Amino acid sequence: MATHSRIRVTEVDWRLLSNGTAHHTHEYPGSELVVRRGQRFTFTLELNRPLESEETLIFTVETGPQASEALRTKAVFQTSELERADTWMAVKEAQTENTVTFSLSSPPNAIIGRYQLSARVSSRRKHSDRKLGEFILLFNPWCPEDDVFLDSEEERQEYVLNDSGIIFRGVEKRIRAQGWNFGQFEEDILNICLSILDRTPSYQDDPATDVSHRHDPIYVTRAASAMVNSNNDRGVVQGQWQGKYGGGTSPLHWRGSVAILHKWFKGRFKPVKYGQCWVFAGVLCTVLRCLGIATRVVSNFNSAHDTDRNLSVDKYVDSFGRTLEDLTEDSMWNFHVWNESWFARQDLGPSYNGWQVLDATPQEESEGVFRCGPASVTAIREGDVHLAHDGPFVFAEVNADYITWLWNEDESRERVYSDTKKIGRCISTKAVGSDSRVDITSLYKYPEGSRKERQVYSNAMKKLFSVEASGRRARVRRGGGRGLWRDDLLEPATKPSITGKFKVLEPPVLGHDLKLALCLTSLTSRAQRVQVNLSGATILYTRRPVAEILHESHTVKLGPEEEKKIPIAISYSQYKEDLTEDKKILLAAMCLVTKGEKLLVEKDITLEDFITIKVLGPAVVGVAVAVEVMVLNPLSERVKDCMLMVEGSGLLQGQLSIDVPSLKPQEKASVQFKITPFKSGPRQLQVDFISPHFPDIKGFVIVHVATAK
């Protein structure tokens, strides 16, 4: 019998281009093979001699420390002609002399992460494994058997492969779009996203078991939602809602996730200062898209933060309508931003498959850790708050009743009439394939005020308050707090005999005086006297007051069914020192009517600003193109030391800063610069106008980059 020399692999060709195209992973940079689970990939081995007919290769794949077949972190298999979807498999595709091409496929529920691949020859002689190299395995939304399967190519392009997006901010009546660079295909980002999973407390405690759970999108997304904030671990972003950002970066200065993730990784996992909700959502979106889970960013306007799980936001105010911070534990944010990811809920059943809420903003603990979700959007709409995970908190964010209490000096309280429809408005996300805003409120709840909506609310209350669902009733009330029982919620405030509304008389523009009117209308056929206590404050987007800028009282006599307007003027000098980067002001009018009726009227104002961005000519890969930015000094004073900060994935490497010449009062100026795109397709260019004299003014434009001919 002829003796063969020992077989050796002399070279491995990972077929990066063809595998990258087939697996939609060609955008990941670097020389490492990145593929998706449940799908075949090919590679070619160059051997020192031909593989004989009786010789077959036995492959081993392993991931994580202490890899084992029992934990499914290791698999050993040889080439086979039989196709099996539930296991790792290898097929010999072709052989010409010393060159052999194999295809490997993983099961659609394989563990995701970095794998080692090794091989040995199956023959009578014992051979040790030869390491062939490493590859990264991701979730696969293109594979029908994968839990993350999404059955729309347009949606997969948007929610998995689009590396930029839009986050909606502002107030319900004035929603503003902000660009965000997810940058999941930028240098090192995939490596950083995998290292986020390796920094979780559960990995630190028991790495082998933790890795074995990474086949499950429920486990991976819940872990990521905890790791994107820094509250219980050395997570990525540190939150700050006090309006003071010393020793870090203001949340409004970030234009995307890439700089944040690089800073965290290079700083040896020291949390990056600072983030607020849209920053946490932007970073979590990057991480999950990078790992292959379809994810989008969602904004909820008038978002409840219900601390005591009673499905109501209880706001305590004084006789001027000013929020009493020390008494008010709940809050209603102008907007709150979270994520939705698309996957099957094997733990809940098929009716809860689809979009799942995840929220990395550290608001409340979930099982002892600051994280939130995944909570099925369907479960939220149907009021199934008892289902995993964090249903009551998310349900309250979009459904809680908004209850205002007047806190009297003798420490008694009384209900004040306010709008029960305020919470959970204009729930928004970016449209697939365009920059439009899509309203997805109907995915979260039935039409406001409809019979079905109140029925769902009532069912949710029963599930939340039932002994079976919540264990014990006392859990709903905070120790020593003013948590309300259902009895309190059933007594609505008396509807007053007047209505009130703030009306903006001129568009509210940054740097200008504000002109408004409070319009009061009598609903009765008798004359009435109304005491109107007005207050105004600059606020953060969480509606937390920063500084009072208005405090005045008026007595108004209203004839039968008469309407009267009280003019209100707030000069720029009154608000300029205390305006936060959110550019928001809250006005309140407490109207005290004869016979003890009370009405609270509120108005959130976001100040407008101006920036336009134009690309002057066609954008082509590798060809410089000019960009013109028009900016306006919003102030009635000269400003200097202004600059433009420019960023755009695929359009320029890193960030670009451009000095802006000093600007006279109200002066417009044009600033031009050049960019050289290096990736084709629709690309987002972000430009921020930054000044020490006023809050940042942000803009973005989509640049359609053609491939060079």
Side-chain angles (χ1 to χ4, degrees):
M1 191 176 78
T3 58
H4 302 306
S5 60
R6 186 170 179 173
I7 201 154
R8 285 192 328 276
V9 177
T10 56
E11 198 179 332
V12 182
D13 176 2
W14 291 108
R15 304 277 191 96
L16 292 180
L17 195 61
S18 58
N19 284 324
T21 304
H23 286 253
H24 307 90
T25 55
H26 59 283
E27 290 253 31
Y28 292 100
S31 56
E32 200 164 23
L33 176 66
V34 182
V35 289
R36 299 187 188 276
R37 67 187 190 176
Q39 186 176 336
R40 204 184 260 218
F41 65 92
T42 57
F43 60 93
T44 300
L45 301 181
E46 196 73 44
L47 307 175
N48 63 327
R49 64 166 175 80
L51 201 59
E52 298 297 332
S53 57
E54 75 275 11
E55 294 177 313
T56 59
L57 283 188
I58 295 175
F59 294 99
T60 302
V61 289
E62 24 191 358
T63 184
Q66 300 114 46
S68 76
E69 289 176 275
L71 288 173
R72 295 182 62 247
T73 51
K74 178 181 180 180
V76 181
F77 51 98
Q78 63 183 36
T79 50
S80 161
E81 299 305 319
L82 293 170
E83 293 257 358
R84 279 188 63 191
D86 60 343
T87 184
W88 285 87
M89 209 183 67
V91 174
K92 186 163 85 171
E93 298 286 352
Q95 180 173 354
T96 53
E97 302 205 353
N98 296 9
T99 305
V100 195
T101 298
F102 294 94
S103 67
L104 244 63
S105 52
S106 59
N109 62 348
I111 288 154
I112 59 113
R114 184 175 272 105
Y115 278 83
Q116 309 272 355
L117 175 64
S118 50
R120 61 185 163 86
V121 175
S122 163
S123 65
R124 289 175 189 156
R125 295 172 60 194
K126 179 82 174 161
H127 292 292
S128 58
D129 279 16
R130 152 78 158 85
K131 188 181 167 191
L132 301 179
E134 294 186 343
F135 64 92
I136 292 172
L137 191 69
L138 301 178
F139 289 104
N140 192 353
W142 283 264
C143 172
E145 291 76 38
D146 194 317
D147 277 352
V148 304
F149 174 64
L150 180 59
D151 192 18
S152 158
E153 182 57 25
E154 290 82 9
E155 290 187 4
R156 293 189 293 246
Q157 291 291 328
E158 180 68 58
Y159 299 136
V160 184
L161 300 182
N162 196 348
D163 61 2
S164 66
I166 290 168
I167 298 176
F168 294 100
R169 303 172 59 248
V171 292
E172 175 204 346
K173 295 279 168 61
R174 184 68 191 167
I175 295 172
R176 304 289 300 273
Q178 174 190 334
W180 192 265
N181 176 23
F182 297 122
Q184 67 267 37
F185 303 116
E186 296 281 321
E187 202 68 48
D188 244 2
I189 294 297
L190 176 53
N191 188 39
I192 294 169
C193 292
L194 291 172
S195 73
I196 285 173
L197 299 181
D198 290 346
R199 302 299 304 171
T200 61
S202 54
Y203 180 88
Q204 304 293 320
D205 292 345
D206 184 353
T209 303
D210 176 78
V211 171
S212 75
H213 291 306
R214 293 186 189 171
H215 65 284
D216 182 1
I218 301 168
Y219 186 85
V220 171
T221 57
R222 189 155 169 78
S225 95
M227 276 304 295
V228 165
N229 70 68
S230 67
N231 284 44
N232 305 94
D233 39 53
R234 283 163 68 80
V236 180
V237 182
Q238 185 173 325
Q240 172 61 275
W241 283 270
Q242 308 303 317
K244 299 180 178 73
Y245 309 116
T249 301
S250 156
L252 272 158
H253 288 191
W254 301 113
R255 283 166 290 280
S257 311
V258 177
I260 294 169
L261 289 165
H262 280 159
K263 191 174 170 74
W264 177 75
F265 192 67
K266 288 172 183 165
R268 294 172 182 250
F269 315 114
K270 189 179 174 191
V272 177
K273 300 174 178 177
Y274 291 104
Q276 288 172 357
C277 66
W278 65 91
V279 180
F280 293 107
V283 173
L284 185 58
C285 189
T286 297
V287 172
L288 297 180
R289 283 188 186 182
C290 190
L291 297 177
I293 298 174
T295 303
R296 61 189 185 183
V297 176
V298 171
S299 300
N300 177 38
F301 290 85
N302 298 349
S303 189
H305 181 171
D306 176 21
T307 58
D308 48 15
R309 284 175 60 119
N310 65 357
L311 296 190
S312 77
V313 166
D314 304 300
K315 174 171 163 160
Y316 290 82
V317 297
D318 66 9
S319 60
F320 275 75
R322 296 174 293 196
T323 305
L324 298 169
E325 291 284 297
D326 54 335
L327 296 178
T328 303
E329 292 171 342
D330 296 339
S331 54
M332 182 183 81
W333 296 13
N334 282 149
F335 66 92
H336 180 47
V337 185
W338 58 70
N339 301 93
E340 287 175 359
S341 290
W342 181 277
F343 49 86
R345 291 303 296 264
Q346 301 291 358
D347 56 335
L348 304 181
S351 55
Y352 299 102
N353 291 352
W355 290 115
Q356 313 291 326
V357 172
L358 294 148
D359 191 347
T361 300
Q363 289 179 290
E364 296 291 318
E365 289 188 343
S366 170
E367 295 168 336
V369 176
F370 279 96
R371 59 188 167 188
C372 181
S376 158
V377 173
T378 301
I380 300 305
R381 191 184 67 221
E382 301 304 328
D384 295 331
V385 294
H386 58 296
L387 299 176
H389 294 273
D390 309 310
F393 186 77
V394 180
F395 185 87
E397 285 183 304
V398 298
N399 281 300
D401 279 332
Y402 183 71
I403 299 178
T404 309
W405 300 93
L406 174 61
W407 189 258
N408 298 313
E409 286 178 13
D410 63 0
E411 298 202 352
S412 64
R413 67 176 189 184
E414 50 190 310
R415 284 279 295 268
V416 178
Y417 185 79
S418 63
D419 184 2
T420 56
K421 296 190 188 72
K422 274 186 177 174
I423 302 269
R425 306 297 287 268
C426 306
I427 304 174
S428 304
T429 193
K430 176 190 174 299
V432 172
S434 86
D435 290 344
S436 316
R437 180 181 75 84
V438 178
D439 191 303
I440 56 169
T441 310
S442 62
L443 296 184
Y444 280 83
K445 53 187 183 176
Y446 290 97
E448 202 77 70
S450 68
R451 192 171 154 200
K452 182 75 176 169
E453 185 247 356
R454 293 325 286 175
Q455 195 181 334
V456 164
Y457 185 89
S458 163
N459 289 342
M461 286 294 267
K462 280 179 193 149
K463 281 171 185 159
L464 193 60
F465 283 89
S466 73
V467 175
E468 297 79 28
S470 61
R472 61 186 189 281
R473 192 174 170 185
R475 187 173 154 191
V476 178
R477 185 198 276 269
R478 286 187 151 200
R482 282 161 304 282
L484 304 176
W485 302 120
R486 279 180 295 177
D487 313 342
D488 294 319
L489 302 181
L490 296 176
E491 293 178 25
T494 311
K495 193 167 185 177
S497 53
I498 62 164
T499 61
K501 190 177 182 181
F502 281 107
K503 197 170 183 181
V504 178
L505 302 178
E506 288 178 12
V509 178
L510 178 66
H512 291 233
D513 298 349
L514 304 180
K515 294 191 170 116
L516 303 98
L518 174 66
C519 306
L520 296 177
T521 308
S522 169
L523 301 175
T524 72
S525 53
R526 63 177 192 276
Q528 300 191 89
R529 181 192 291 268
V530 184
Q531 166 84 19
V532 179
N533 295 336
L534 286 168
S535 66
T538 56
I539 56 167
L540 302 171
Y541 81 99
T542 59
R543 293 183 112 215
R544 182 193 167 128
V546 175
E548 189 168 67
I549 55 171
L550 178 71
H551 183 100
E552 58 189 48
S553 290
H554 303 263
T555 301
V556 181
K557 286 180 182 171
L558 282 177
E561 290 163 6
E562 184 186 8
E563 180 182 316
K564 271 194 178 165
K565 289 182 179 164
I566 302 171
I568 302 161
I570 302 173
S571 68
Y572 172 59
S573 61
Q574 276 173 271
Y575 71 78
K576 75 171 185 179
E577 297 301 328
D578 298 305
L579 191 68
T580 71
E581 292 182 334
D582 294 303
K583 307 191 205 59
K584 292 186 189 301
I585 288 168
L586 174 62
L587 295 178
M590 180 66 84
C591 305
L592 309 169
V593 193
T594 41
K595 295 175 71 179
E597 296 174 351
K598 294 170 185 66
L599 170 70
L600 178 66
V601 185
E602 292 183 311
K603 175 83 175 172
D604 293 89
I605 294 167
T606 303
L607 300 179
E608 301 293 323
D609 50 36
F610 171 88
I611 187 169
T612 62
I613 309 158
K614 258 190 200 161
V615 181
L616 307 175
V620 179
V621 170
V623 180
V625 63
V627 177
E628 179 186 54
V629 179
M630 289 289 292
V631 293
L632 166 74
N633 171 13
L635 308 184
S636 44
E637 56 197 57
R638 191 180 189 89
V639 296
K640 53 182 186 178
D641 303 325
C642 299
M643 64 189 332
L644 297 181
M645 293 297 292
V646 186
E647 185 175 316
S649 186
L651 295 172
L652 63 162
Q653 303 280 2
Q655 295 182 348
L656 187 63
S657 59
I658 299 148
D659 289 332
V660 175
S662 72
L663 297 168
K664 295 176 196 157
Q666 310 288 321
E667 183 187 1
K668 264 188 185 175
S670 162
V671 181
Q672 287 198 15
F673 56 90
K674 289 195 170 177
I675 56 170
T676 306
F678 56 93
K679 284 186 177 179
S680 61
R683 299 278 157 197
Q684 188 183 82
L685 183 69
Q686 292 183 60
V687 183
D688 287 8
F689 180 31
I690 291 174
S691 163
H693 311 285
F694 49 81
D696 290 5
I697 295 171
K698 303 172 89 70
F700 69 92
V701 68
I702 300 298
V703 183
H704 293 274
V705 181
T707 312
K709 287 176 183 169

